Amino acid sequence: MERRDFFTVMAGAAASISTMQAEAAAACLPGNVTRAQFRRFITDSANLLGSDHVVSDVDSLRPYARSMLPFEEAAHSPAAVLSVSSVDEVRSVLALARRSGVPLWPTSTGRNMGYGSMTVADPGTVVLDMRRMNRISDMDPVLGTVVVEPGVTYKQLQDFLKAEGHDFWLDFPGPGPIVSPLGNTLERGEGQTPYFDHFAHSVGYEVMLADGTLLRTGFGGIENTTSWQAFKYGYGPTLDGIFTQSNFGIVTRMGIELMPAPEAHRTGMAVWANEEDIAKAIDTIRPLRIDGTIGNSGTVGNSTIIASGVGRANLYTGEGAIPQDVTIKWAQDIGLGAWIYMFSVYGRQEKVDSDWAHIVSRFEASGAKVLADIDDPAAYNQLTLKSFELFKWKRSRGLIWFSPVAPARGEDVARQMTLAKEVMSRYGMDFMTGMTVTGRSTLNVMPIVYNKEDEDETRRARECMNALIDAFGEAGYGIYRTGVGFMDRVASHHGAVNLDVNQRLKRALDPDGILAPGKSGIRTC
Amino acid sequence: MLRIIVLFLAAVFTPSLSLGQAAGDWQSPEHIWNASCSYCHNSQVAPDIRGIPFETEFATTVVRNGFPGMPPFHTSEINNEELLALLDWIKQAEKPDPDEQAP
Ligand SMILES: Cc1cc2nc3c(=O)[nH]c(=O)nc-3n(C[C@H](O)[C@H](O)[C@H](O)COP(=O)(O)OP(=O)(O)OC[C@H]3O[C@@H](n4cnc5c(N)ncnc54)[C@H](O)[C@@H]3O)c2cc1C
């Protein structure tokens, strides 16, 4: 058999297998797509990518429909998953999607855990899995920048920097080793070093629009550009932001600013004993963050989140939400208190020493005690998955992040705490928070940990999240980020004009609505 | 001359090719263990499973579908062949030294 014939036969075989698979998946087709159109789309995708890289039968799709969110799997299951390995393949898949009307949801490493993982907003959308696009390029050791594709993980990037002998640090989110800098940045995720704001430290995006146009933001459009990763803003409107938490394009590459390893660093923990100390704590932390004395955002945690690794059943077996007093008592018994703040200082040794002394005196003046030299691996470039201890609380896979933002004023943060506790206890959900103090704002990231195997608890978790979104929206607070199934509700609290402008941008850049319909509540109509 | 070219190509291409964490990129089962599994299973976040004679079918279901506290690992990340080799490696690995702690 000639080589060409061999490939034709193989493609035919792949196509017929995929057609059978597509039949099986027909239960959840995208909105306006007929069965025949979807079948053709799957067949063409398999011919293009190879049938190994197309998942469309119900059984193989099931793991992709799994998420930690409190929804039935069918409600947010992708109709298929296509795994691409290059920009050319992305362009070709887009052409197929436009022709058939099948929408695509791009993911990088697809670990948006607690926000939907690899599930989609509107059922029937097909996931475009970009994990196999994992090249690292354009390392600039002088400026400290590098370019990554979506499938590069923090671990891969750290290994690369070490292998090349570069003395730069990375900033990673909780699940660092197994997630993507690009995926995390597109969600405007956060970490634990001075470079905690990942969007702020991204520079120069390569984006494929729905029509196949390849845009490079910033100075990336200049022929023979010298400064793509050196200057973020470009000329004219700065576009990077419109590709985050959005569905206006598929990001195929992104520049990252790397943090030079500091000469010295030190991590401590401030502890406030009582529940009502939260306003005092925030008012003490804020000025130290705004003037840069505390180098990272750090995390303010309540006693219940600190206790998560101990397991709820070891602390409380009563009805309803765990009373805060129970975990506060547990924390006090081990030398902690109602609130802790993990913070770090960085720089030359003299600076670290003098900043440290200043911080300790401020915290002690506010009534806190300070524990010195705490080990917080993520604050100094050590990858860890210790944050997964959160799941030990209920030994379950149910997790929703409720992530409102407060101005970094004691009274606002205290008000959010009261509001959250009131709503959560109504639904029998335990109140936990791990706040990122960015400076002028506080990302009040509250995990709702629930037992997904329990139908009633799952329903309560869902209703609790909806009630929290409404209560905080009505109180004038916005939300930093949310998961599929909650996006429309969150969008409805951020202004009708804001949503309308997003939809207009959507119609201009993706008139057929091919990309991630429903992401952040944005659709073509 | 050929040797120089080969060395040069190795220098240019080795890093991102050898350290990728997607299906087909893994260098060995141990590489998968060190880059992913060990962050929980050798760090007291989850039980250390090395040297335990578990059922391959059960373990495959757990890896593909996830488990309370463990996310699923899909075929674009670890293909079926790589997963089987990994599970064999874990089963045959020496039982961990209780004092050993990972990354
Ligand atoms: C215990 C625990 C702790 C966590 N801690 C943190 C933390 O500290 N900080 C934090 O930020 N998050 C945290 N997370 C949430 C989440 O796991 C991370 O944010 C993770 O980085 C997101 O997954 P990912 O990187 O695989 O992105 P993906 O899941 O690949 O992408 C996320 C979303 O971005 C969009 N997207 C992705 N790629 C593209 C693309 N190429 N083009 C266009 N759009 C795209 C899609 O809408 C996608 O759904 C935590 C989760 C858990 C369970």
Side-chain angles (χ1 to χ4, degrees):
Chain A
M1 196 190 289
E2 282 211 8
R3 209 176 126 75
R4 256 188 59 208
D5 290 342
F6 173 73
F7 280 112
T8 315
V9 171
M10 288 308 284
S16 68
I17 292 168
S18 301
T19 305
M20 291 185 307
Q21 291 177 339
E23 297 278 8
C28 57
L29 290 188
N32 299 322
V33 177
T34 65
R35 191 167 291 207
Q37 283 167 322
F38 186 70
R39 199 180 299 152
R40 168 117 191 258
F41 171 78
I42 293 296
T43 305
D44 291 346
S45 300
N47 286 339
L48 177 75
L49 306 172
S51 54
D52 277 1
H53 301 305
V54 176
V55 178
S56 63
D57 69 291
V58 172
D59 283 342
S60 311
L61 273 177
R62 204 156 284 139
Y64 294 90
R66 296 241 188 283
S67 93
M68 298 173 179
L69 296 182
F71 302 109
E72 299 230 343
E73 282 173 8
H76 297 284
S77 173
V81 177
L82 311 181
S83 166
V84 287
S85 64
S86 68
V87 170
D88 284 344
E89 286 187 354
V90 175
R91 187 182 277 116
S92 305
V93 170
L94 271 171
L96 297 178
R98 284 196 306 276
R99 199 174 68 198
S100 58
V102 173
L104 302 171
W105 185 286
T107 62
S108 293
T109 43
R111 291 239 161 81
N112 211 5
M113 295 171 285
Y115 291 111
S117 299
M118 257 172 136
T119 61
V120 297
D122 294 354
T125 303
V126 167
V127 162
L128 188 72
D129 171 359
M130 300 168 84
R131 175 180 279 282
R132 291 193 302 132
M133 291 177 65
N134 63 354
R135 278 154 287 240
I136 298 170
S137 65
D138 301 84
M139 176 68 207
D140 184 333
V142 176
L143 299 182
T145 56
V146 68
V147 174
V148 293
E149 289 188 337
V152 172
T153 62
Y154 286 97
K155 167 75 177 152
Q156 182 187 349
L157 185 54
Q158 190 187 59
D159 284 349
F160 167 83
L161 294 172
K162 280 187 189 160
E164 299 251 310
H166 302 300
D167 205 8
F168 290 110
W169 280 12
L170 293 178
D171 185 279
F172 13 79
I178 55 170
V179 299
S180 153
L182 191 147
N184 185 279
T185 303
L186 293 186
E187 287 289 87
R188 301 199 291 267
E190 308 266 341
Q192 287 299 330
T193 74
Y195 281 35
F196 66 92
D197 180 345
H198 298 163
F199 174 64
H201 292 284
S202 64
V203 56
Y205 293 11
E206 181 182 87
V207 189
M208 186 161 290
L209 303 181
D211 66 359
T213 303
L214 196 65
L215 163 74
R216 285 178 168 195
T217 64
F219 280 163
I222 299 171
E223 213 175 318
N224 299 324
T225 183
T226 56
S227 324
W228 191 24
Q229 269 65 54
F231 186 69
K232 190 179 170 100
Y233 305 129
Y235 171 74
T238 296
L239 295 178
D240 296 11
I242 69 164
F243 297 107
T244 63
Q245 292 188 11
S246 93
N247 51 12
F248 300 158
I250 299 174
V251 180
T252 49
R253 294 208 288 160
M254 182 191 83
I256 299 178
E257 295 173 351
L258 302 165
M259 176 178 159
E263 180 189 292
H265 62 93
R266 193 168 186 192
T267 296
M269 185 192 281
V271 178
W272 287 268
N274 305 310
E275 202 171 1
E276 57 277 13
D277 291 340
I278 185 61
K280 200 162 48 177
I282 295 295
D283 287 332
T284 311
I285 296 165
R286 181 194 53 251
L288 297 168
R289 284 289 303 126
I290 291 180
D291 74 9
T293 313
I294 295 178
N296 66 348
S297 58
T299 307
V300 177
N302 75 328
S303 50
T304 310
I305 206 168
I306 310 164
S308 55
V310 173
R312 186 181 200 269
N314 293 321
L315 296 173
Y316 184 65
T317 48
E319 290 286 300
I322 188 168
Q324 290 303 293
D325 294 350
V326 173
T327 54
I328 293 173
K329 163 103 182 37
W330 167 85
Q332 287 170 345
D333 286 350
I334 59 164
L336 301 177
W339 299 99
I340 59 123
Y341 176 50
M342 295 263 274
F343 63 93
S344 301
V345 287
Y346 302 85
R348 277 180 291 281
Q349 190 65 57
E350 315 84 86
K351 176 180 179 297
V352 167
D353 292 343
S354 96
D355 286 350
W356 180 268
H358 179 65
I359 292 163
V360 170
S361 72
R362 289 290 187 92
F363 282 156
E364 286 179 348
S366 81
K369 72 174 171 191
V370 178
L371 308 176
D373 303 318
I374 297 293
D375 187 37
D376 180 8
Y380 63 100
N381 197 38
Q382 299 300 307
L383 285 160
T384 163
L385 285 176
K386 291 273 185 209
S387 63
F388 279 23
E389 300 232 306
L390 181 62
F391 296 103
K392 290 185 176 169
W393 184 240
K394 286 199 168 177
R395 304 211 171 268
S396 166
R397 64 170 96 216
L399 170 68
I400 319 169
W401 295 108
F402 174 58
S403 318
V405 178
R409 272 189 291 258
E411 63 190 281
D412 273 293
V413 175
R415 185 174 168 222
Q416 285 203 349
M417 299 295 121
T418 307
L419 201 51
K421 273 185 277 189
E422 191 272 307
V423 175
M424 286 179 168
S425 68
R426 219 185 312 147
Y427 292 91
M429 294 292 132
D430 299 333
F431 166 71
M432 293 188 187
T433 183
M435 287 179 260
T436 298
V437 189
T438 67
R440 292 173 177 83
S441 66
T442 299
L443 308 191
N444 189 355
V445 181
M446 298 183 233
I448 303 175
V449 180
Y450 68 98
N451 183 359
K452 198 168 174 176
E453 285 69 43
D454 179 329
E455 226 173 273
D456 177 61
E457 194 170 326
T458 303
R459 177 190 53 77
R460 282 188 285 116
R462 185 173 59 243
E463 288 175 2
C464 177
M465 177 67 172
N466 285 333
L468 284 165
I469 294 167
D470 290 345
F472 276 65
E474 282 152 24
Y477 296 115
I479 307 259
Y480 133 76
R481 162 185 180 190
T482 202
V484 300
F486 298 112
M487 290 175 173
D488 293 326
R489 186 179 285 261
V490 169
S492 75
H493 285 288
H494 288 75
V497 174
N498 297 57
L499 184 57
D500 178 52
V501 171
N502 283 338
Q503 319 259 53
R504 287 197 228 175
L505 287 169
K506 176 72 176 165
R507 285 194 288 274
L509 293 175
D510 178 18
D512 302 324
I514 290 301
L515 297 178
K519 176 79 185 177
S520 298
I522 306 167
R523 296 181 179 78
T524 41
C525 53
Chain B
M1 182 62 184
L2 186 64
R3 208 179 111 78
I4 293 173
I5 292 174
V6 170
L7 283 177
F8 171 74
L9 286 178
V12 171
F13 290 115
T14 303
S16 57
L17 282 183
S18 65
L19 299 172
Q21 287 180 251
D25 289 342
W26 300 104
Q27 292 176 323
S28 62
E30 205 171 353
H31 180 202
I32 306 181
W33 173 266
N34 288 332
S36 287
C37 322
S38 71
Y39 284 101
C40 286
H41 291 286
N42 188 21
S43 304
Q44 294 168 358
V45 177
D48 198 321
I49 47 180
R50 284 174 297 172
I52 294 179
F54 49 74
E55 290 284 328
T56 300
E57 205 184 317
F58 168 74
T60 304
T61 308
V62 168
V63 172
R64 291 295 183 221
N65 291 277
F67 200 67
M70 172 176 159
F73 289 75
H74 300 302
T75 46
S76 62
E77 181 168 13
I78 303 173
N79 65 31
N80 290 334
E81 218 173 284
E82 289 163 332
L83 179 57
L84 282 180
L86 171 67
L87 297 176
D88 278 347
W89 181 88
I90 295 173
K91 280 194 268 190
Q92 282 158 26
E94 260 184 50
K95 276 205 171 32
D97 174 346
D99 297 332
E100 189 198 350
Q101 265 246 20

